Amino acid sequence: MLALVLAALRARRAQALTLLLLSTLAAAAAAASPWYVLASTERIANRHVQSAPIGERSLETLGEGPVEGGSIEAQLAAEADRTQRIVGLSGFTTYTEAFLPGQAVMPPADDPAKTGAPHSTDSPLTLRTDACNHASIEGSCPSAAGEVAVSYRTARWLQVQPGATVLYANSGLPKPMVLKVVGIYRPDDPNDPFWSSNDQLVAKSLPTSADPGITEPVDDAMLTAPATFDKGLTIPVRTVVDMVAGPTLLVDNAPDEVRDRLNAATVEAGNNRLTLNTQLQSTIDKVERDRRLISLGVPVGAFQLLVLCWFALYLAVKYTGEERRPDIGLVKLRGATRARTWALVSGQSALPMLVGAVLGLPVGYAAATAVSGSIHDATVNEQAATLSAGAAALAVLGALLAAMLAERRSLASSVSELLRQGSARSRIWRDLFDLLLVALAVAAVYQVKHRAAGDAAGLALLAPGLAALAFALVAARLITFTASRAVEGALRHGHPARALTAIYLARRPGVHRLAALMIVTVALLCTSALTWSAGRDAGRARAELEVGADRVLSVRAENRLALLNAVRAADPGGHSAMAVVESVRSGNDRVLLVDSPRLAQVATWRPEYGASAAATAALLHPEAPKAVAVTGATLELDVTNHYTVLDKDRLVYLDVVLADPKGVRLTARLGPLAEGRHALSAQVPACATAPGCRLSSLQIMQTTLAKQTFFASRPGVEVTVHGMTQGGGSAVLGPDLLGDRTRWRLGVNGSPPNLIVTPVADGLKLTVAPVRPGGAADPGVYPLDSPAPLPTIRATKLQPRLVGDQRVSYGSISISESIAGTALRLPRLGDKGVLLDLEYADRLGADFGAGESLQVWLSKGAPADMTKRLQDQGLIVLGDESTAGVADLYASFGPPLTLQFMLLSAIVGVILAIGSASVVAAVERRPRARELGALRAQGAPARLVKRVSIEGYLVLAGASLLFGLILAALIRAYIGDVLPYFADGWSAP
C-alpha cells in the first residue's frame, strides 16, 4: 500500500509538494504561537520593569531605633538580610541607608550686633552605603565621626567649603552636633537607582516657604561616616533598605505570585517592626494587562490562520481529488476493500501533511524566536516546547480532517460516477454553512460596535476575519453569478474569448471557494497592514510629542544661563542643538523654556502645536533691547550717595550683580558708601573671558559693622549712578541709558521692590523705599532686556481672575505672562502646559536658578560629535532619549506585539492562497489542455486559445484583489481597530 501511495505522489509531484508546503505552513504557524506568546511575555515584563518610574519598580522597608550592637553597618546588613528574607523574591538590587532628620545651619558669629538668620537646610544626616563610589567629590569622603560631605547645592546655599563647620540640630539631641565638612559631592547620575530610589538623598522640590534666595532644591542629604552613628549617638536612628527590581523579577516569577508575595511581605514586615512601602503593584498590573492581551490576541490570530490553512488544504485536496476520481473508480472496479481504498486515497494527503508537521515544528520555532526572541527561563522553555508540539499536532489533525472531508464525496461515489468524471453538485448543507458564517460575522461585528471601551474579549478580535469571510463568500458567489450572466452578452456581441472565460468562472466547480479564500486573505492582509501601520504611526507621533526632538540629552549645568551659553558655544550656527529647561513644580502648569530662535531648526514640530515653529519662535522671542554687557576685568562707577536718615550702626554698599560667562552669579560689591560723589571700582576678572558678563541688577545693600550678613537696605539712602565704565574706559552705562526710565524695571517675582527709580539729568537715582510690612523685599533695579510681561504659548488657556493676574511659574519664579497663542498640545507637556523663551525667562527671573530638568535637544542631522562638544563646554550628560527609542519601546508592549503577529499571520494567509491557486492550476493543467485542444481542433485561433488559457485565472485573481481591497476599506471604516495600539488608552490628537 505504501508503495502505491508513493507512486501516486510521484505521479502528481506538484500537488504533493504544494500539500507539503501548505501543511508545513499550518504546523509552523501553530507551533510559533506558543513560542511567540511566552517569549513576548518575557519581553513585555522586561520592558515594563526597565521603563517604569523608579517608584513603580522599587520597594523600601523603614525602621527606627537605637544603633544595636554598636555598629550601624552591621545593623544595616542585618536589616537588608531580613528584608530580603521577608520579600522572598529574586531579581532585586539592594541598597541600605541610615539617617537622622534635622536641620543643618552655619554656626552663629560671635558678634552680638549681627542681624539676620544664617542660612539653613533640612538636609538629613545620612549614611548611604557605598555613596562615595557613586559620586564625584571635591575634598575627601567622610571617614571619621563628625565628618560630612554636603552636596554642591547645599554647599552653595550654606556658603561652605571643605574645612568649614556646620551645626546639626535634631529635637532628640540635647545640643546641636558640630560637624566638619570634608567634601563637596556631586552624584554621578542623580537618576541612577542608587540615588533616585530614595527621596531622602537628592531633594526634588524647593523647601516649604522657601527663602527668596533659594532658587533650587537645597535639602540634599549630608553624607557621613558610620562612626558618626556608632559613637555618641544615643537617640533613635531611621534605617532604610531600598530594593530596586531588575528586568528578571517578573520573568523569573509570575506577576500574580509577586503580588501575593508583596502583600504577605507587607504584613510580615510589620510583624518585624518594619514598614514596607512599594508601588510595584502598578507595574505588575501593566504587565498582567499586556500579557492578557497577547495571550488572547495571538491565539486568536493563530486560530484564524489555522482556519485559513485548513480551508486552503481543503481546497487543495478537493481539487486534487477531482483529478483522482478516475483512479478511485478503477481501484473500486478491481474489488479493493473500503478500508484499502480509504488508505490509498487518504495516504496521498496524509503523508505530505505528516512530513509537513515534522518540518513545521522547527520552522515555527525559528520564526517565533527570530521575531520575538528566545525564552530564557528553562521551565517556560519546556512549557513552550510542549505547547508548540501540541499546537502543531492540532494543526495537522485539523488538516487531515479537512482532507478527509474533501475526499469524502469521491470515496462515497459509485464507480460509474467516478469514471464519468462528473463534478459533484453542491449540497444544501454548504449553503447553510455559508449562512451560518454570515450570521456569526454579524454577531461579531455587533459585539465590536457595542463593547465597552478597551474590551477585546469574545468575538471582537475575530470580527475582522469573520466579517471578511462572510463578505468573501457573498462576493465569490457574486463573481460566479456575474460570470454566468455575462456569457450570453459576450456571445451576442461577438466576444468568444470573454464568453469562454465567463463560462469557466461560472461553471468550474469550487471557483467561488477559491475566490473566497483569495478575497479573505487579501482583506486580512490589508486590514492587518493598515492597523499595524496606523499603530506604528501613532507610536511615532506619541514619541515625537513626548520627546520633542529627534534626540534629547539630559544634562547637568550650573544654571539656566550656563546651559544656554554652553549649547550656543557648542553649536554656534544654531542648526543642531537647543537648550531647554523643563519645570514640573508649578502646580497645574508644566513649563518648558526653549531657546526660541533655534526652535524651527531643532524641534520636531507637529500640527498639534498650533502655528509653525518659526511663527511660534517669533511670538516667544519678540525684539527686545540688548543685554548690558561687561567685557572688561575692571568696573568703575561714578555715584553720588546721600543719607536722608543717619544710622551709625550700618554700612551701605552698592552691589553690581552680573552673570558671568558660566552663568554664575557674580557680585561686585562697592563701598561702604560715604556721603557725596565718589568714583568706585571693583575687579571682575571673569568678565574678561568671552562672551563676557551680563548686567543683572543694581542693588543697595546694608550690613552691620561686623559685615556678617548683607540684606536689602533700610530707608534713608539715595544713590545716584552717573555712569559705569569698564577696563579700557569704554562705557557700560552712559547718561542716555541711565536717564531713560523705559530701560529700567523693578522686580517681577512677587516680592515688593525695595527701591524707587527716578531718572535725573545726569543719571539714575535709586531711593530706598519706606519700610513695608510683610516678607523680604526685592533690593534690585534691573535693565529692561526682555519683554515684560513675558509672552507665552499655552496648551490650555486660563481665564485670569483679575486683569493682569495671569502668571506663570518656573523654578522659584512666578511672573506675569502675556498669552501670545494657544495650542492643542505642546512638546513634552501634552495638553496642559506653557511654552516660554529660555533667554528672556532667565533674564526676567534674574534668580540665577536652574530647573528640574536641564536638556539639550538635538536635530536629526546633528553631528555625531555633538555630545563631545557639549561636554567640552562643561555640560555633564546624564541621559539620552530619542524619538526612535521611545517609539520602539511602545512597539514592544502587548498590543503592538499582538498586532505584529496578526500581520505575520495575514502574510502567511496570502502565501496559503497562492499555494491553493497553484494546486488548482496544476490539477487543471491536463483537463484544460484537453478542452483547449478541442477548441483548437474546431478552428479556434491560437491567439484566442492562449488568451482563454490564462484569462480565467487573471480575472479571478483581479476580481479577488479588488473585492479584498474594498472589503479591507469597509472593515477599517466600520469596525476600526479591535485592539488598541496603546493599552493605557492614549489616542492620537
Side-chain angles (χ1 to χ4, degrees), residues 188-191 551-557 854 856 858 866-872 874-881:
D188 291 336
D189 182 1
N191 297 318
R551 285 177 63 199
V552 172
L553 304 179
S554 298
V555 300
R556 188 166 68 200
L854 302 184
V856 179
L858 301 180
M866 182 54 68
T867 300
K868 183 179 183 303
R869 293 190 200 175
L870 294 169
Q871 291 171 334
D872 291 342
L875 299 183
I876 300 174
V877 178
L878 303 177
D880 189 346
E881 185 180 37

Side-chain angles (χ1 to χ4, degrees), residues 91-296:
F92 286 97
T93 301
T94 303
Y95 308 107
T96 58
E97 173 187 331
F99 71 96
L100 184 69
Q103 186 179 59
V105 63
M106 291 295 294
D110 296 332
D111 184 4
K114 178 185 174 184
T115 60
H119 291 175
S120 64
T121 67
D122 293 330
S123 301
L125 184 62
T126 304
L127 167 64
R128 183 69 164 180
T129 306
D130 204 32
C132 291
N133 290 328
H134 292 80
S136 57
I137 299 180
E138 176 190 347
S140 61
C141 184
S143 58
E147 293 184 347
V148 294
V150 299
S151 80
Y152 69 102
R153 302 190 301 185
T154 304
R156 186 154 51 199
W157 174 243
L158 293 179
Q159 299 176 357
V160 297
Q161 294 293 330
T165 300
V166 297
L167 300 181
Y168 196 82
N170 175 278
S171 59
L173 292 172
K175 62 178 182 178
M177 301 172 62
V178 179
L179 303 174
K180 180 181 179 182
V181 177
V182 296
I184 310 295
Y185 73 89
R186 284 180 177 266
D188 291 336
D189 182 1
N191 297 318
D192 185 89
F194 181 90
W195 297 103
S196 62
S197 61
N198 191 311
D199 292 338
Q200 300 290 333
L201 297 172
V202 179
K204 304 294 192 301
S205 304
L206 295 178
T208 304
S209 302
D211 185 288
I214 294 181
T215 62
E216 59 185 341
V218 296
D219 297 332
D220 299 328
M222 299 181 66
L223 304 179
T224 190
T228 301
F229 291 91
D230 294 341
K231 298 178 180 179
L233 199 60
T234 58
I235 63 174
V237 174
R238 298 180 186 180
T239 56
V240 181
V241 176
D242 293 314
M243 298 181 66
V244 180
T248 61
L249 174 65
L250 298 177
V251 174
D252 297 340
N253 309 282
D256 55 344
E257 293 177 357
V258 175
R259 180 187 289 105
D260 294 342
R261 186 61 233 163
L262 291 177
N263 292 336
T266 302
V267 177
E268 190 175 350
N271 296 334
N272 285 267
R273 296 183 300 169
L274 297 174
T275 300
L276 190 150
N277 299 317
T278 184
Q279 298 179 41
L280 259 169
Q281 286 84 354
S282 177
T283 301
I284 294 172
D285 291 342
K286 294 175 184 177
V287 171
E288 286 188 325
R289 176 198 63 200
D290 274 15
R291 285 185 170 182
R292 281 195 302 270
L293 287 172
I294 200 167
S295 297
L296 175 65

Side-chain angles (χ1 to χ4, degrees), residues 810-825:
Y810 51 93
S812 63
I813 304 300
S814 177
I815 61 175
S816 297
E817 65 170 313
S818 172
I819 300 177
T822 58
L824 292 177
R825 300 194 183 192

Side-chain angles (χ1 to χ4, degrees), residues 33 294-305 456 458 460-463 901-902:
S33 177
I294 200 167
S295 297
L296 175 65
V298 171
V300 166
F303 174 74
Q304 187 173 272
L305 179 58
L461 287 174
L462 285 172
F901 185 86
M902 289 183 170

